[in-house]
């Protein structure tokens, strides 16, 4: 009914008169201090725009983890909205131009439209973009000026107001609850995504989460945008806005036109911001052109120009005063807070509010549309150029995933994952082997996923330290997943393209299928711990249904548990409830409300193990066990300075003792994922205890690194990486690494599952 009425309004040629602004529609002053629209309100506003404007259409990307509808708005001119099917088809052909003649390609470039994706608010507390998106869409829907109409005639905008709707709701609810109290604008006492919290932006090659998969499908199977801009917020005391060019290091395998386009677009954004009298824009800062795990980054290897925007944060929707003396650099690209060529006009300090963030984001977003319209034919031609280069780069070679291997279900899982990424996969009907032909547009992505990484050691000044990895330094899936993949000269002619792959049940799970499920409890410190969320996700996937216990719940919870897992949380946080900062220091820690404070109940935990329970610790949590339980193990790296040993997320080789139940389903050698690890020196225990070294680093330092980057690897030689022991009537298993890292390390999942099953 509403649609019919609006149609009449359109016929009466006042297309925009009926549109309400976000503030009018929601009855709140969107963008004002202490005002937040929650996700349901945002989605309802986009639905209203869709109903009221022929320039806006809402697509449902899928359901979120907690069952919310995740939406994307398609915004363009009235004429383009009537031919979205043809526009998509053109974008798809340009993304995979195999078989097109030059003349055909020219015609597509000439007739196509730029398709530009903007994603907001993946990190839910970086909330301004979710509010900005409504205002932006409203203005685009009602604009009558020639320049905006020109932009909409040339560009199709795909606008995702939140990549984490569940988290947007969590943050908004919590903010509203505490506004006006001393906890106003403070951090959440738990993760802002049901499983992954901030790590939802580390998932873009593994696609573990439904939100990741929802967007990935829209990008790599449906819309094929040429440009992808992801809008974030960063800390409050540095520059006001990071806009590409990115910082070093750069991946030399990414097509250079990606960086040239990112620089061109980013430079136009900063230019328009400067013209609007905004200060504090910076480039070449902090965020590199190498790491693959982030939202838009993955696209670099799939020929899409991805940009990251990071605007300084307020306290959610509450203003924040930053004293000039508090402004600081200290990060790659800005060591001191001064004018530099990449940061020529520093912000001078003062009050910073959500409205400021929305204004910066809006100007940058408009500048994106401007240049995507100006450079429409360049953007369309360039993605085809990059795709053709990738096809040539791949050549006739192929990767083979042989059916005859240790863990075929996991090999199938890897093939299914690549297929979901839009990679072309073949299967040989006779042998059952999967083949990945390399003469395809995503060949560089395939190499990145399947071959070891060697982190580039870049120094910005002679003699100085190298630039450290932004996040982890490896994503080699065959190693992380324990799958055999072989490079071959060509795929067999008999191999045919597959469109779906359904992996079989993992052997270790199938083996235990008839056993009684152990009751698993998982420690969940206040403030949330990423590794708790990931561990819970992995265990949920394989049917363990763990119960997460906050500090106050531990004692009662352990009475109904067989196994207690301490995820990768540092020992001080476990022991005191206070958070360690990212640089490892303990310093001013913002208070949570009293009901969200507390430390692990040490006595209850010890009694649980002595009376027959199994305690499993991951990575940093091993330190807590070593210090608080009398065990014949010490951390060999405890006093090693960071300058002497560093490994920020790499895959390392260990030898495995397969004679123990915890490691019985492992091969004699495996890759483990190591990120600020614990390495064990063990001592033969007395008669009261049995102790098993489960995994050991190689004798020779050069044998240790499999993929990524490490310095000081000689500190690990012959050290134990995992240890199991009896303790009273119970058991302790210490993993000095991350056997379930971010749901990626299938190679070492069996050790986690078998540690849970160990009796
Ligand atoms: Zn972010």
């Amino acid at each position: 009914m509403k649609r019919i009425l609006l149609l009449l309004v359109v016929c009466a040629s006042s297309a925009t008169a009926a549109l309400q602004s976000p503030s009018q529609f929601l009855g709140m002053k969107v963008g004002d201090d202490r005002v937040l629209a929650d996700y349901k309100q945002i989605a309802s506003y986009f639905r209203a725009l869709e109903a009221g404007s022929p320039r806006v259409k809402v697509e449902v990307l899928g359901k979120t983890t907690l069952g919310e509808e995740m939406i994307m708005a398609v915004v363009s001119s009235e004429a383009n909205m009537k031919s979205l099917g043809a526009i998509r088809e053109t974008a798809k052909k340009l993304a995979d131009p195999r078989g097109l003649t030059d003349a055909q390609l020219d015609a597509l470039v000439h007739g196509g439209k730029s398709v530009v994706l903007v994603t907001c608010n993946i990190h839910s507390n970086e909330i301004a973009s979710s509010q900005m998106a409504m205002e932006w869409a409203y203005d685009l829907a009602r604009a009558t000026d020639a320049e905006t109409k020109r932009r909409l005639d040339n560009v199709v905008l795909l606008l995702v107001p939140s990549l984490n709707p569940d988290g947007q709701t969590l943050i908004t609810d919590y903010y509203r609850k505490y506004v006006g109290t001393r906890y106003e604008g403070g951090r959440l006492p738990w993760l802002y995504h049901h499983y992954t919290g901030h790590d939802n932006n580390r998932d873009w090659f593994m696609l573990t989460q439904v939100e990741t998969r929802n967007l990935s499908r829209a990008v790599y199977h449906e819309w094929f945008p040429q440009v992808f801009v992801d809008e974030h917020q960063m800390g409050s005391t540095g520059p006001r806005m990071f806009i590409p060019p990115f910082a070093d290091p750069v991946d030399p395998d990414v097509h250079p036109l990606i960086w040239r386009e990112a620089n061109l677009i980013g430079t136009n954004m900063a230019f328009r911001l400067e013209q609007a009298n905004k200060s504090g824009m910076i480039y070449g800062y902090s965020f590199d052109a190498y790491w693959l795990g982030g939202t838009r980054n993955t696209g670099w290897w799939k020929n899409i120009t991805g940009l990251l925007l990071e605007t300084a944060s307020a306290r959610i929707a509450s203003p924040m005063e930053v004293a000039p003396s508090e402004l600081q650099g200290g990060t790659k690209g800005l060591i001191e807070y001064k004018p530099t060529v990449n940061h020529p006009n520093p912000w001078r300090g003062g009050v910073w509010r959500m409205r400021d963030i929305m204004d910066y984001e809006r100007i940058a977003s408009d500048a994106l549309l401007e240049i995507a319209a100006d450079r429409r034919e360049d953007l369309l031609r360039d993605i085809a150029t990059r795709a053709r280069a990738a096809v040539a780069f791949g050549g006739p070679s192929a990767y083979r995933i042989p059916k005859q291997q240790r863990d075929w279900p996991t090999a199938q899982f890897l093939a299914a994952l690549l297929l979901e990424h839009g990679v072309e996969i073949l299967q040989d009907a006779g042998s059952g082997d999967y083949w990945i032909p390399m003469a395809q547009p995503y060949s560089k992505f395939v190499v990145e996923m399947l071959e070891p990484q060697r982190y580039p050691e870049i120094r910005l000044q002679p003699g100085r330290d190298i630039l450290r990895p932004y996040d982890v330094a490896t994503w080699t899936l065959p190693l992380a997943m324990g799958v055999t993949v072989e490079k071959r000269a060509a795929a067999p002619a008999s191999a045919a393209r597959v469109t779906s792959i359904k992996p079989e049940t993992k052997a270790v799970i199938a083996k235990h299928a008839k056993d009684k499920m152990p009751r698993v409890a998982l420690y969940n410190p206040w403030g949330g711990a990423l590794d708790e969320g990931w561990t819970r996700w992995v265990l949920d996937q394989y049917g363990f249904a763990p119960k997460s216990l906050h500090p106050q719940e531990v004692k009662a919870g352990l009475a109904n548990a067989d196994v207690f897992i301490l995820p990768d949380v540092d020992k001080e946080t476990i022991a005191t409830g206070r958070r360690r900062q990212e640089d490892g220091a303990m310093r001013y820690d913002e208070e949570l409300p009293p009901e969200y404070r507390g430390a692990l109940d040490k006595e209850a935990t010890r009694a649980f193990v002595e009376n027959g329970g199994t305690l499993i610790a991951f990575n940093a949590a091993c330190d807590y066990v070593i210090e608080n339980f009398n065990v014949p193990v010490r951390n060999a790296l405890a006093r090693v300075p960071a300058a002497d040993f560093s490994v920020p997320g790499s895959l390392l080789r260990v030898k495995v003792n397969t004679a123990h139940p915890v490691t019985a389903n492992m091969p004699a050698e495996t890759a483990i994922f190591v990120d600020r690890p614990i390495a064990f020196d063990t001592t033969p225990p007395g008669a009261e205890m049995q102790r098993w070294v489960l995994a050991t680093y190689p004798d020779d330092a050069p044998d240790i690194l499999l993929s990524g980057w490490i310095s000081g690897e000689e500190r690990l030689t012959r050290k134990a990486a995992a240890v199991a022991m009896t303790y009273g009537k119970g058991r302790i298993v210490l993993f000095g690494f991350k056997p379930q890292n971010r749901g990626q390390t299938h190679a070492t999942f069996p050790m986690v599952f078998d540690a849970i099953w160990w009796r």
Side-chain angles (χ1 to χ4, degrees):
M1 189 61 189
K2 200 171 172 191
R3 265 172 200 279
I4 293 167
L5 284 177
L6 283 161
L7 205 65
L8 293 174
V9 174
V10 171
C11 295
S13 82
S14 55
T16 56
L19 290 182
Q20 287 185 302
S21 72
S23 292
Q24 288 165 338
F25 181 80
L26 296 175
M28 57 167 70
K29 293 203 164 172
V30 171
D32 266 20
D33 289 353
R34 300 181 178 83
V35 174
L36 276 181
D38 62 34
Y39 189 77
K40 281 195 176 3
Q41 291 173 318
I42 294 169
S44 71
Y45 182 68
F46 274 96
R47 294 286 187 195
L49 273 187
E50 177 183 41
S53 167
R55 294 182 189 167
V56 179
K57 179 171 162 291
V58 174
E59 287 197 351
V60 176
L61 296 174
K63 286 281 166 73
T64 66
T65 303
L66 300 181
E68 188 69 73
E69 267 190 354
M70 187 173 168
I71 62 158
M72 176 172 85
V74 183
V75 184
S76 195
S77 68
E78 290 84 340
N80 287 344
M81 295 301 283
K82 287 182 189 142
S83 53
L84 288 179
I87 291 170
R88 271 161 68 146
E89 199 49 42
T90 298
K92 184 178 180 180
K93 283 182 182 158
L94 292 172
D96 185 358
R98 285 178 291 179
L100 292 181
T101 65
D102 286 349
Q104 287 170 325
L105 197 144
D106 286 346
L108 290 171
V109 166
H110 194 64
K113 305 293 176 185
S114 302
V115 181
V116 170
L117 170 64
V118 174
T119 54
C120 301
N121 186 236
I122 185 171
H123 292 147
S124 320
N125 56 355
E126 303 167 11
I127 203 150
S129 58
S130 70
Q131 315 292 302
M132 182 279 294
M134 292 187 285
E135 292 184 345
W136 191 27
Y138 170 62
D139 285 344
L140 292 174
R142 74 188 177 124
T144 52
D145 64 288
E147 173 57 16
T148 306
K149 287 168 95 171
R150 180 188 74 91
R151 294 176 188 179
L152 293 174
D153 277 338
N154 283 283
V155 183
V156 173
L157 168 66
L158 310 176
L159 177 58
V160 180
S162 177
L163 268 181
N164 181 7
D166 296 342
Q168 208 280 352
T169 305
L170 284 172
I171 289 283
T172 308
D173 287 352
Y174 189 80
Y175 180 82
R176 288 172 178 169
K177 182 175 174 191
Y178 286 99
V179 73
T181 75
R182 61 186 294 194
Y183 305 108
E184 174 177 323
R187 67 191 166 104
L188 213 58
W190 41 78
L191 297 175
Y192 56 58
H193 176 277
H194 185 64
Y195 289 118
T196 63
H198 198 78
D199 270 2
N200 59 0
N201 198 31
R202 308 289 183 262
D203 192 39
W204 294 84
F205 61 93
M206 203 64 199
L207 308 182
T208 67
Q209 302 300 308
V210 291
E211 293 85 358
T212 321
R213 295 207 294 271
N214 289 342
L215 185 75
S216 190
R217 188 174 52 247
V219 174
Y220 302 112
H221 290 274
E222 293 168 5
W223 279 100
F224 305 94
Q226 296 88 41
V227 180
F228 182 168
V229 175
D230 191 26
E231 307 211 6
H232 286 245
Q233 291 170 220
M234 55 184 177
S236 306
T237 57
R240 293 301 91 186
M241 193 174 197
F242 163 79
I243 306 172
F246 288 95
D248 275 307
V250 61
D251 188 304
D253 290 337
V254 171
H255 198 289
L257 276 173
I258 295 275
W259 310 127
R260 295 299 177 188
E261 285 187 0
N263 297 354
L264 187 67
I265 295 165
T267 300
N268 194 53
M269 291 173 171
F271 168 61
R272 293 301 186 201
L273 279 153
E274 203 73 56
Q275 280 188 324
N277 269 322
K278 303 296 181 192
S279 61
M281 289 76 73
I282 190 166
Y283 68 84
Y285 171 75
S286 186
F287 308 99
D288 69 36
Y290 179 79
W291 172 63
L292 174 134
T295 328
R296 68 280 142 195
N297 301 21
T298 310
W300 296 336
W301 288 267
K302 295 182 181 178
N303 310 314
I304 295 179
T305 296
L307 286 87
L308 166 70
L309 303 180
E310 293 268 1
T311 311
S313 293
R315 292 176 58 80
I316 311 292
S318 301
M320 181 171 188
E321 201 193 328
V322 183
S325 59
E326 289 165 350
L327 289 165
Q328 56 185 350
T331 307
K332 174 166 71 184
L334 191 73
I335 303 306
E336 292 176 75
Y337 194 85
K338 285 180 177 172
T340 51
V341 74
N342 62 333
H343 179 231
N345 181 18
W347 186 63
R348 289 158 185 268
V351 177
W352 184 251
R353 24 175 55 96
M354 186 173 73
R355 172 48 73 187
D356 293 314
I357 306 168
M358 292 166 66
D359 288 349
Y360 274 61
E361 289 173 338
R362 175 60 191 281
I363 293 167
S365 300
D366 276 326
L368 166 69
L369 287 193
E370 178 189 22
I371 202 149
D374 292 352
R375 297 287 189 167
R376 179 180 61 82
E377 293 205 10
D378 285 317
L379 297 181
L380 295 176
R381 184 175 299 283
D382 286 355
I383 196 168
T385 301
R386 297 189 289 262
R388 281 180 163 181
V391 172
F393 163 87
S397 66
Y399 285 95
R400 172 181 178 236
I401 305 178
K403 184 164 188 187
Q404 293 306 315
Q405 61 175 297
R406 246 194 108 257
D407 184 0
W408 176 238
T410 303
Q412 289 176 300
F413 192 102
L414 172 58
L417 171 62
L418 292 171
L419 193 64
E420 196 167 1
H421 269 292
V423 171
E424 196 175 311
I425 309 265
L426 315 175
Q427 189 169 30
D428 186 71
S431 65
D433 297 349
Y434 289 117
W435 288 87
I436 306 165
M438 288 300 280
Q440 62 170 306
Y442 294 174
S443 64
K444 291 186 176 182
F445 178 75
V446 172
V447 169
E448 203 67 15
M449 292 288 88
L450 298 184
E451 297 284 350
Q453 276 76 44
R454 288 287 172 259
Y455 182 74
E457 299 199 341
I458 304 282
R459 289 176 174 78
L460 293 186
Q461 285 186 50
R464 293 299 169 89
D465 192 12
I466 64 156
L467 297 175
R468 296 299 170 117
Y470 175 74
D471 184 69
V472 304
T474 184
W475 31 85
T476 309
L477 292 181
L479 290 172
M481 299 176 75
V483 172
T484 299
V485 181
E486 303 156 345
K487 186 92 187 269
R488 286 287 182 264
S494 57
R497 193 158 180 179
V498 292
T499 52
S500 76
I501 296 170
K502 188 160 166 29
E504 295 157 26
T505 307
K506 277 192 199 304
V508 61
I509 294 295
K511 194 182 114 178
H512 288 293
K514 291 198 185 83
D515 298 346
K516 187 169 173 286
M517 264 306 192
R519 297 166 302 170
V520 181
L522 188 54
Y523 186 55
N524 191 7
W526 289 118
L530 294 167
D531 200 53
E532 182 276 331
W534 282 116
T535 307
R536 186 158 37 82
W537 182 80
V538 169
L539 296 182
D540 274 350
Q541 294 309 297
Y542 293 98
F544 290 93
K547 284 209 164 53
S548 265
L549 304 177
H550 286 297
Q552 291 86 332
E553 300 162 340
V554 163
K555 193 167 184 177
L558 290 184
N560 294 304
D562 302 306
V563 177
F564 189 31
I565 298 178
L566 300 180
D568 178 24
V569 177
D570 68 89
K571 62 184 180 187
E572 289 92 349
T573 301
I574 299 174
T576 68
R578 281 193 56 200
R579 252 192 339 174
R580 189 177 265 275
Q581 302 296 316
E582 278 203 358
D583 61 5
M586 298 292 286
R587 64 168 89 90
Y588 172 72
D589 188 35
E590 188 185 336
E591 270 183 4
L592 288 167
E595 60 269 38
Y596 305 126
R597 296 181 204 161
L600 177 64
D601 186 334
K602 184 166 97 179
E603 295 318 315
T605 305
R606 191 201 304 270
F608 166 77
V609 187
E610 282 175 342
N611 293 326
T614 300
L615 180 67
I616 302 171
F618 295 147
N619 216 41
C622 295
D623 258 345
Y624 176 84
V625 177
I626 291 169
E627 289 194 6
N628 290 280
F629 287 65
N630 182 26
V631 292
V633 168
R634 70 175 196 93
N635 178 7
L637 301 171
R639 287 186 185 76
V640 178
D644 291 356
F645 177 78
S646 177
V647 51
S650 290
L651 286 155
L652 307 185
R653 187 194 317 267
V654 291
K655 292 176 284 183
V656 180
N657 165 16
T658 58
H660 191 272
V662 171
T663 34
N665 284 297
M666 293 294 297
E669 186 181 297
T670 189
I672 58 172
F673 187 88
V674 163
D675 178 19
R676 290 178 263 196
I678 308 273
F680 305 110
D681 279 326
T682 61
T683 319
E688 82 281 6
M689 176 184 280
Q690 279 185 284
R691 175 273 294 124
W692 300 267
V693 172
L694 301 177
T696 315
Y697 289 103
D699 294 347
D700 297 316
D703 294 340
I704 291 179
L705 180 67
L706 288 168
S707 182
W709 184 79
I710 187 170
S711 80
E713 55 268 51
E714 63 282 357
R715 301 274 182 177
L716 293 178
T717 53
R718 296 180 58 237
K719 298 285 187 268
V723 186
M725 65 203 79
T726 58
Y727 193 90
K729 292 181 196 158
R731 292 147 299 274
I732 295 177
V733 184
L734 303 177
F735 293 102
F737 55 98
K738 300 180 77 172
Q740 62 352 337
N741 181 62
R742 294 175 178 168
Q744 298 162 3
T745 51
H746 288 248
T748 45
F749 286 0
M751 300 165 93
V752 177
F753 302 154
D754 280 327
I756 290 171
W757 290 109
W758 183 28
R759 280 294 163 273

